[in-house]
Amino acid sequence: MHVLGHLTVEEFLRDYWQKKPVLIRQAIPGFEPLLAADELAGLSLEDDIESRLIIEEGKTGAWEVKKGPFTESDYRALPENKWTLLVQAVDQWVPEAAELLEHFRFIPSWRIDDLMISYATDGGSVGPHWDQYDVFLLQAEGQREWRVGQMCSEKSSILEGPSVKILADFTENERWVLEPGDMLYLPPGLSHWGISQGECMTYSIGFRAPSTAELLERAIDTALPTLTEDNRYSDASLSLQHSPGEITDDAAARLKSLLVDALSDPALLQATLGQLMTEAKYEEQAPTFDTSEQGWAETVSALQEAEQWTRHPQARFAYSINDTGAAFYCQGEIVNLPASAGKSLEVLCDEASYDSQSLIEAFDDSHLKTLLTSLVFCDLIVPV
Ligand code: SIN
Ligand code: CO
């Protein structure tokens, strides 16, 4: 399904992605909500599910935030209106929500974070704010007015008091009322404010983008084991300097090229992204990747118990190929494989589901057999 309405994927990527907002009327014509408001509230009662309530005129002040899990009495204590329930990672609990995310694979799947669903009463809003991440806001039920304003950064002032970040200043540039099936794309940093008109439900398709600090830490961790005492600062191009105590621009330039060299191997950089971007959203709940002791015969018979298999809802897969070989990434781990594994890894990472017989045939190679066995016995792929 194409969800970009009047835009082609190429136009969207060229003109809007990470650049400016765009409203797509009837991105999904006739869209039917995937779950009712009381089912969403039901999820927020569960221990393992991350949820929040934001109450504009709360008992403790403006923009009160409560964290789930909630109880029925939390709901009875809410005011008549102007509150919002937000439930994170619904795709991990509702298969139809995971299917909805499949339509956003025109962006690399390892950039997709989760599907958050909000339910708001009349006038409900989480206030004017900005996010670090791209988001598609799909109107699922009822109407919501969205206002977009100025670009923001960590320097933008926020209200003191509320534990949720509310902008102290919001300069509106545009506003639209979204109907069910309409979708608004917002780039990171753009301030926005969505106010419910009557009761409404909004689905946020959110993305992940690691910070430079996280990437640097991971890249260094990956590079360190490859370095020896022979890798060292050197200055064969040294010339006489006026002040011997000065650390010159030339010295800084030598260090820069040493650091760039240490981190420039494409396989190392792919592994940095691959490991970071496949970390589970909730590590304590998600299956972990481990090498299984089971044999291939056990794997084949386990796979044959179901015709169709799919990724575990909390599993995150990605792969890379370069001159030195291929690598598979899962739950923050890396498995190095020969380049010939590329086609099988593509199936594993890109297909929404797999036919067990095709999987057995595609993984008929000693390295790949070990990988598939681990995926089956660690519950990283599961019967549909
Ligand atoms: C909402 O659905 O109310 C909030 C989504 C957002 O502004 O990021
Ligand atoms: Co937001």
Side-chain angles (χ1 to χ4, degrees):
M1 185 177 32
H2 177 81
V3 293
L4 295 173
H6 61 287
L7 296 171
T8 62
V9 171
E10 289 75 13
E11 285 166 340
F12 172 76
L13 295 177
R14 187 191 62 207
D15 299 336
Y16 301 101
W17 175 250
Q18 298 239 303
K19 298 169 198 76
K20 56 183 182 187
V22 60
L23 173 66
I24 301 159
R25 290 278 180 209
Q26 292 307 290
I28 308 186
F31 183 74
E32 291 286 338
L34 306 179
L35 70 174
D38 58 341
E39 292 173 300
L40 188 72
L43 292 180
S44 76
L45 310 181
E46 305 276 341
D47 279 348
D48 282 349
I49 302 185
E50 184 186 346
S51 60
R52 280 170 298 159
L53 277 165
I54 300 186
I55 308 151
E56 188 165 338
E57 291 153 12
K59 292 197 179 101
T60 60
W63 307 109
E64 184 185 354
V65 185
K66 291 181 161 191
K67 290 202 168 135
F70 298 110
T71 61
E72 312 256 339
S73 66
D74 289 320
Y75 280 98
R76 281 195 293 274
L78 287 168
E80 188 76 18
N81 52 34
K82 290 195 172 174
W83 59 265
T84 302
L85 163 70
L86 303 136
V87 181
Q88 219 67 52
V90 177
D91 52 293
Q92 299 196 359
W93 311 99
V94 178
E96 293 76 13
E99 278 164 34
L100 182 66
L101 291 185
E102 290 292 315
H103 304 304
F104 292 84
R105 283 179 171 250
F106 51 88
I107 303 297
S109 48
W110 46 268
R111 286 277 269 122
I112 300 175
D113 190 26
D114 74 336
L115 179 78
M116 177 186 82
I117 301 189
S118 71
Y119 161 81
T121 49
D122 188 29
S125 143
V126 302
H129 68 281
W130 65 282
D131 301 304
Q132 287 281 11
Y133 308 101
D134 307 82
V135 68
F136 288 96
L137 297 156
L138 172 66
Q139 194 56 27
E141 204 170 355
Q143 280 102 33
R144 187 190 284 273
E145 181 186 85
W146 281 103
R147 303 171 184 181
V148 297
Q150 77 278 19
M151 287 303 286
C152 297
S153 72
E154 289 295 327
K155 292 199 187 91
S156 307
S157 351
I158 52 164
L159 292 185
E160 279 173 34
S163 53
V164 62
K165 285 188 178 173
I166 307 284
L167 282 167
D169 304 299
F170 178 75
T171 315
E172 182 181 326
N173 286 327
E174 241 172 327
R175 69 167 75 178
W176 307 273
V177 175
L178 269 68
E179 304 282 338
D182 292 348
M183 187 167 78
L184 178 62
Y185 163 74
L186 301 178
L190 186 73
S191 57
H192 53 283
W193 189 359
I195 305 168
S196 181
Q197 299 189 337
E199 288 173 74
C200 91
M201 293 231 261
T202 303
Y203 292 8
S204 296
I205 293 100
F207 292 81
R208 30 171 85 177
S211 66
T212 307
E214 287 174 295
L215 285 166
L216 197 55
E217 193 181 5
R218 187 59 71 109
I220 290 171
D221 283 349
T222 315
L224 284 182
T226 68
L227 299 173
T228 71
E229 287 294 304
D230 292 340
N231 299 102
R232 188 168 296 279
Y233 180 83
S234 64
D235 47 9
S237 58
L238 192 63
S239 53
L240 179 64
Q241 56 186 69
H242 161 74
S243 161
E246 186 188 356
I247 295 171
T248 59
D249 284 352
D250 283 349
R254 285 184 204 105
L255 173 60
K256 181 177 167 183
S257 80
L258 177 148
L259 293 177
V260 168
D261 282 353
L263 296 174
S264 68
D265 174 28
L268 180 145
L269 296 167
Q270 287 167 324
T272 298
L273 275 174
Q275 291 172 93
L276 202 56
M277 301 303 270
T278 60
E279 282 178 353
K281 192 169 174 67
Y282 304 108
E283 271 181 345
E284 59 302 343
Q285 300 169 11
T288 49
F289 180 87
D290 248 317
T291 307
S292 166
E293 297 297 311
Q294 302 282 342
W296 181 240
E298 284 94 335
T299 306
V300 169
S301 69
L303 280 167
Q304 281 167 340
E305 280 168 29
E307 214 165 284
Q308 289 292 313
W309 288 67
T310 188
R311 280 179 289 283
H312 184 286
Q314 301 192 341
R316 295 184 61 92
F317 292 1
Y319 74 101
S320 62
I321 306 179
N322 57 57
D323 293 346
T324 53
F328 173 68
Y329 310 98
C330 169
Q331 316 304 82
E333 301 293 332
I334 175 170
V335 180
N336 289 307
L337 293 158
S340 58
K343 207 78 217 131
S344 306
L345 295 180
E346 184 179 329
V347 170
L348 207 51
C349 299
D350 290 353
E351 299 296 323
S353 65
Y354 334 105
D355 164 271
S356 54
Q357 204 48 45
S358 319
L359 214 48
I360 293 165
E361 284 158 27
F363 281 72
D364 191 11
D365 158 282
S366 62
H367 298 93
L368 287 171
K369 281 179 180 171
T370 311
L371 172 61
L372 191 58
T373 300
S374 299
L375 295 177
V376 168
F377 290 101
C378 293
D379 289 328
L380 287 157
I381 63 169
V382 291
V384 174

